[in-house]
Amino acid sequence: MDLTVGAPGEDAGDGAVGSLRGSAGDPVTAGALSFGPAATGVATPGSPRFGTALNG
């Protein structure tokens, strides 16, 4: 089971996404991952608030 959250206000409005990976028997020990707009090719001028759609 994974938990993914958006943090659109992170880094002055550029945004970020974080994911905690786990399994049914051990919910948060498989690792964590976080990334921002640059990792996916989203331009940051104008504060894109990356991750907003995950919070909707």
Side-chain angles (χ1 to χ4, degrees):
M1 175 178 276
D2 296 344
L3 171 66
T4 303
V5 295
E10 189 74 22
D11 295 328
D14 287 349
V17 171
S19 180
L20 297 174
R21 302 188 67 204
S23 65
D26 204 357
V28 190
T29 60
L33 171 70
S34 65
F35 56 93
T40 60
V42 174
T44 56
S47 298
R49 299 185 54 80
F50 189 73
T52 299
L54 292 175
N55 294 337

